Amino acid sequence: MKDTKILTIQDISCFGQCSITVALPMISAFGIETAILPSAILSTHTSGFTDFTVRDLTEDLPSIRRHWEKEGIDFDAIYTGFIASAEQLGYIKDIIDSRLRSDGLVFVDPAMADNGEFYSVFDQEFADRMGELCKLGDFILPNTTEACFLLHKPWKPHFSKEEMLEMAHELADFTKRYVILKGYESKNHEMGMIILDKIESTVEIVYNDKVDYMSHGTGDVFASAFVGSVMVGKSPSQAAKIAGEFTKKAIERTMGDETHTYGVKFEQVIPELYDLLKL
């Protein structure tokens, strides 16, 4: 029996629950072998810390790909997150072309912006390049800020249901099949995710209760739980519901701890994954 293997490509923040330090334990908890390709190594993530160190690993990507080709190493899925430079995007396309199995899936989390602003190292030119990577994805998972930058639209804190649906349809040009658009807040103060299937021409909204708490890394927790759920056979809407519930529980475990401001305590929720997979 062949085991499922996933490659995740994103940064390692040595401290601060995000990126690979979320993706590796999260996807492994689904029973899936998870390989990593760091885009950069940071002493901490960039939110709330100062004087952090960064080592860009762009130059290492081609040699890693060549070694994997020599060894015959390939993957059932490739999941990308924080990419350190526009140059890396081209190398990642080569890795997808070379190391993804013929029936494999690509998940692209265009992790570059939030709350109406780019992360400090990115700009619109990078967003346009990221859009080209998204087009290789079977699934793309933008928040509303990232969606607006991909589409060259102005961002605002709240979008109506109609505006979110319009944005999801426009994002269909940036994916091979599925758009998972995060960040819709309903009139009932629920958080909604738009799931658009461009092949079947269907759109669905999946809701979770809103938790009034902001934290770094929740997008990585959601994306990793979503990828794991899809890879164990859940539909995109089921996976979005599971990932949303998992993220909500991780936030709830963190609330009230004033010393824990750099991420969410997702590790404490991993034992509950089995029950969530029944959703």
Side-chain angles (χ1 to χ4, degrees):
M1 180 174 122
K2 181 179 74 67
D3 292 330
T4 300
K5 295 181 177 64
I6 288 180
L7 169 66
T8 185
I9 308 173
Q10 46 192 309
D11 73 282
I12 294 176
S13 289
C14 299
F15 182 85
Q17 294 148 308
C18 67
S19 302
I20 282 177
T21 59
V22 168
L24 180 56
M26 276 293 307
I27 299 173
S28 297
F30 285 87
I32 299 169
E33 182 178 342
T34 310
I36 65 170
L37 181 56
S39 60
I41 298 177
L42 293 82
S43 55
T44 67
H45 62 63
T46 61
S47 178
F49 295 101
T50 58
D51 301 324
F52 49 83
T53 67
V54 181
R55 182 174 294 276
D56 187 312
L57 298 179
T58 300
E59 294 181 359
D60 295 274
L61 301 191
S63 58
I64 291 172
R65 175 184 59 80
R66 288 193 295 269
H67 184 221
W68 285 349
E69 288 176 346
K70 179 181 177 182
E71 296 294 334
I73 296 169
D74 55 14
F75 302 96
D76 299 284
I78 295 177
Y79 155 38
T80 70
F82 184 96
I83 305 305
S85 68
E87 185 180 0
Q88 286 188 357
L89 296 170
Y91 292 145
I92 291 167
K93 290 178 185 179
D94 292 340
I95 291 167
I96 292 171
D97 291 340
S98 168
R99 298 296 90 210
L100 184 68
R101 292 171 182 164
S102 59
D103 58 348
L105 296 173
V106 176
F107 300 81
V108 179
D109 179 5
M112 59 184 176
D114 204 359
N115 294 316
E117 296 181 348
F118 281 110
Y119 300 149
S120 60
V121 293
F122 299 135
D123 56 19
Q124 186 60 54
E125 182 179 357
F126 180 87
D128 294 340
R129 294 284 302 276
M130 176 60 77
E132 294 304 310
L133 180 65
C134 286
K135 291 175 183 178
L136 301 180
D138 298 281
F139 299 83
I140 63 168
L141 297 95
N143 60 36
T144 57
T145 300
E146 291 155 349
C148 287
F149 285 131
L150 288 171
L151 296 169
H152 290 248
K153 282 178 168 288
W155 180 83
K156 56 185 180 179
H158 299 287
F159 291 89
S160 69
K161 179 179 178 180
E162 291 72 24
E163 289 171 328
M164 290 288 290
L165 291 170
E166 179 183 1
M167 199 168 354
H169 279 97
E170 292 176 345
L171 287 167
D173 290 337
F174 290 87
T175 181
K176 291 167 68 175
R177 183 160 188 178
Y178 293 104
V179 174
I180 315 298
L181 177 58
K182 303 170 290 180
Y184 168 57
E185 183 175 350
S186 75
K187 294 179 181 178
N188 297 323
H189 301 292
E190 295 175 306
M191 293 308 298
M193 292 150 286
I194 314 290
I195 295 97
L196 179 144
D197 181 343
K198 67 185 287 185
I199 293 178
E200 296 294 332
S201 299
T202 60
V203 181
E204 184 176 356
I205 305 178
V206 173
Y207 293 98
N208 298 95
D209 293 334
K210 181 182 178 182
V211 181
D212 288 320
Y213 185 82
M214 296 294 293
S215 176
H216 187 87
T218 52
D220 299 328
V221 171
F222 176 89
S224 299
F226 180 87
V227 170
S229 298
V230 169
M231 295 306 296
V232 297
K234 296 299 182 181
S235 70
S237 58
Q238 290 171 324
K241 182 67 173 179
I242 291 164
E245 286 295 321
F246 185 95
T247 305
K248 179 175 74 72
K249 286 176 176 289
I251 293 171
E252 289 171 341
R253 292 294 177 89
T254 313
M255 293 173 66
D257 186 347
E258 295 180 359
T259 68
H260 200 104
T261 59
Y262 50 83
V264 291
K265 300 180 181 182
F266 73 94
E267 300 93 341
Q268 296 183 17
V269 188
I270 286 177
E272 301 181 39
L273 264 178
Y274 178 78
D275 288 334
L276 288 174
L277 286 170
K278 298 176 182 178
L279 292 175

